[in-house]
Amino acid sequence: DAGVTQSPTHLIKTRGQQVTLRCSPKSGHDTVSWYQQALGQGPQFIFQYYEEEERQRGNFPDRFSGHQFPNYSSELNVNALLLGDSALYLCASSDTGGTYGYTFGSGTRLTVV
Amino acid sequence: ELKVEQNPLFLSMQEGKNYTIYCNYSTTSDRLYWYRQDPGKSLESLFVLLSNGAVKQEGRLMASLDTKARLSTLHITAAVHDLSATYFCAVVNFGNEKLTFGTGTRLTIIP
């Protein structure tokens, strides 16, 4: 049973560029959340998608946007990259309501130079 | 706004010893999770605690939840080197689906 799959694993971008990260949820999960984890910090919630709609959003600017597809996979887009966007981006999937927990992918390490 | 605090932030302990990590949260919650993270890696789910008085154990780790005190503990028994990692607790509010993480506890087990 495949877990949560994220791509790419590493990425280097230049300030001002745009980036797209991808996530395939665990089989049987319909809800996808995205988190940003800066070095030495706990993950911070970016947003959550369910039924192809953004259900909830954290304190991130509009430069961060996302999408969920009918097969429940999801994308995170970041525009106008800043040096401070350098972080590990984690995707988590869950069943509706998260009662059985949230499964995290291996993450995408984004470096902005 | 929900705040989650863990202590200690750093913990060095000798193999074979017992210790407890504490997780306090500021508002009523209906779910609490414990995760382990190795350096440069993702988060591994350890425990899901859903109700007051819940206690779960896996190997040398045991987690408990006291919703009235808004406190969860992660107890380590007879620590071994393989348990060296950063441990996070995360809380979900009622009617809310985002995980709010604690600051993390970096645990180092010394032979």
Side-chain angles (χ1 to χ4, degrees), chain B residues 31-107:
Chain B
R31 282 170 279 154
L32 189 141
Y33 305 84
W34 283 97
Y35 288 91
R36 167 184 172 144
Q37 187 174 39
D38 293 301
K41 304 293 186 182
S42 187
L43 296 165
E44 174 190 351
S45 179
L46 296 175
F47 301 107
V48 180
L49 302 171
L50 300 177
S51 60
N52 187 43
V55 177
K56 292 197 174 179
Q57 183 163 6
E58 181 73 34
R60 301 176 187 275
L61 301 178
M62 183 173 71
S64 65
L65 177 62
D66 181 344
T67 57
K68 294 179 182 177
R70 297 178 189 163
L71 170 70
S72 180
T73 60
L74 180 66
H75 187 73
I76 302 149
T77 301
V80 292
H81 180 68
D82 286 352
L83 291 179
S84 295
T86 298
Y87 292 84
F88 289 97
C89 64
V91 177
V92 176
N93 264 350
F94 288 113
N96 194 323
E97 292 302 322
K98 75 171 191 178
L99 288 168
T100 300
F101 281 83
T103 46
T105 297
R106 184 177 295 181
L107 174 65

